[in-house]
């Protein structure tokens, strides 16, 4: 019988853990976003009039996706410290540029591949509609869009622990982490859905505030996900530190 804490309790614990740490998490968020905005600006400034320009644009865009994954893994390291009551600093968001970079990149590439597969139907229908102008492809595009969104959410839910496992189990390879994630998350996918639904108001806050509330909302969202990970690894318990996570029978 599972002793996992309820999503409501996890949100409450995350809120308590964030008390006094908002300055740290907000600075980490701002630093990473400023860098990503600069990379986006660079890609948009590239002329795509020639083949070389288009190829360079694709390379920069692909690199930006990889860098985003590295920042996400560094953010996982930061929030593991925040929610476990350990000392945290904004610079932790850069940690995976120095440590576990290879595993982070491989896991990010795997997730990008899954997301690409989930978007194939939509991409095909959209390209055909643009080229041929046939309205029949609009219906297929709508179906493809639904499949893509559902696929993205499922991939996110299943592989949410991946970046945390990198830090908790440094001896695990990327393939081991990828194989472990579904064993941890699929039996408890319903709880993940409930947790996601509870975070929708925070995402709406970001939109309604035109991004002004994003640093606070994202800090809360990341803290909730870190708490969910720790609860996932230790049913009914909140570990004192990120190195104390233990995989129980659900992961065996």
């Amino acid at each position: 019988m599972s002793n996992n804490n309820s999503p409501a309790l996890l949100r409450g614990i995350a809120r308590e853990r964030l008390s006094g740490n908002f300055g740290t998490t907000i600075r980490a968020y701002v630093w990473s976003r400023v860098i990503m905005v600069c990379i986006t600006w660079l890609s948009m400034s590239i002329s795509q009039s020639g083949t070389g320009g288009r190829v360079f644009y694709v390379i920069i865009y692909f690199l930006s996706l990889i860098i985003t994954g590295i920042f996400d893994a560094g953010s996982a390291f930061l929030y593991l410290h925040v929610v476990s009551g350990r000392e945290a600093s904004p610079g932790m968001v850069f940690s995976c540029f120095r440590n576990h970079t290879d595993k982070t990149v491989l896991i990010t590439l795997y997730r990008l591949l899954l997301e690409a597969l989930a978007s194939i139907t939509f991409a095909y229908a959209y390209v055909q509609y643009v080229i041929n102008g046939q309205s029949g492809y609009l219906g297929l595009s709508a179906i493809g869009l639904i499949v893509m969104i559902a696929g993205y959410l499922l991939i996110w839910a299943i592989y949410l622990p991946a970046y945390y496992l990198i830090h908790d189990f440094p001896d695990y390879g990327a393939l081991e982490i990828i194989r472990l994630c579904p064993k941890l998350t699929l039996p408890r996918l319903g709880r993940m859905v409930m947790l996601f639904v509870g975070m929708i108001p925070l995402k709406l806050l970001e939109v309604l505030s035109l991004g002004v509330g994003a640093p606070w909302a994202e800090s809360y969202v990341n803290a909730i996900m870190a708490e969910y990970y720790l609860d996932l690894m230790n049913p009914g318990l909140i570990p004192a530190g990120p190195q104390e996570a233990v995989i129980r029978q659900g992961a065996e």
Side-chain angles (χ1 to χ4, degrees):
M1 182 175 178
S2 175
N3 293 317
N4 292 108
N5 292 303
S6 69
L9 179 57
L10 292 179
R11 290 193 294 270
I13 295 172
R15 187 165 53 248
E16 292 180 7
R17 301 296 193 191
L18 272 174
S19 178
N21 284 298
F22 270 114
T24 298
T25 59
I26 288 173
R27 275 182 289 168
Y29 176 86
V30 170
W31 290 355
S32 61
R33 288 304 181 271
V34 166
I35 292 173
M36 294 312 302
V37 166
C38 290
I39 294 174
T40 301
W41 175 83
L42 175 62
S43 65
M44 293 178 64
S45 66
I46 297 172
S47 174
Q48 300 183 48
S49 57
T51 302
R54 287 192 289 271
V55 170
F56 190 49
Y57 172 82
V58 170
I59 292 173
I60 295 296
Y61 176 72
F62 183 74
L63 286 176
S64 72
L65 296 177
I66 298 297
I67 292 172
T68 298
I70 296 174
F71 272 130
D72 288 343
S75 178
F77 183 58
L78 167 63
Y79 282 92
L80 278 176
H81 280 72
V82 168
V83 301
S84 61
R86 295 193 174 195
E87 183 178 354
S89 65
M92 287 179 173
V93 77
F94 299 101
S95 62
C96 285
F97 286 96
R98 302 184 298 270
N99 304 306
H100 311 302
T101 308
D102 53 345
K103 287 187 286 187
T104 302
V105 171
L106 288 174
I107 290 171
T108 301
L109 287 173
Y110 180 75
R111 293 179 63 166
L112 289 174
L113 175 61
L114 293 180
E115 290 174 359
L117 292 175
S119 62
I120 283 178
T121 302
F122 173 74
Y124 170 78
Y126 179 76
V127 170
Q128 290 298 317
Y129 173 73
V130 171
I131 294 175
N132 301 317
Q134 297 179 8
S135 59
Y137 285 108
L138 287 176
L140 185 59
S141 296
I143 295 173
L145 181 61
I146 295 172
V147 171
M148 182 176 69
I149 294 173
Y152 279 21
L153 291 176
L154 184 61
I155 293 164
W156 174 77
I158 293 176
Y159 294 98
L160 182 146
Y163 291 139
Y164 301 100
L165 290 169
I166 288 174
H167 307 290
D168 260 347
F169 301 93
D171 294 334
Y172 281 26
L175 186 58
E176 290 176 290
I177 292 174
I178 289 171
R179 288 174 174 172
L180 176 58
C181 284
K183 296 179 181 179
L184 291 170
T185 55
L186 286 178
R188 304 169 180 86
L189 199 58
R191 293 181 68 247
M192 186 71 251
V193 172
M194 292 174 60
L195 196 68
F196 176 78
V197 170
M199 292 189 291
I200 290 177
L202 293 170
K203 293 297 184 179
L204 290 176
L205 174 62
E206 293 184 39
V207 175
L208 295 176
S209 66
L210 301 179
V212 175
W216 289 269
E218 286 298 316
S219 293
Y220 191 20
V221 166
N222 283 312
I224 292 171
M225 290 191 295
E227 285 290 353
Y228 174 79
Y229 165 75
L230 293 181
D231 186 65
L232 190 69
M233 303 299 284
N234 292 268
L237 300 173
I238 300 297
Q243 290 301 330
E244 297 177 25
V246 177
I247 301 178
R248 295 197 175 186
Q249 293 182 354
E252 294 178 353

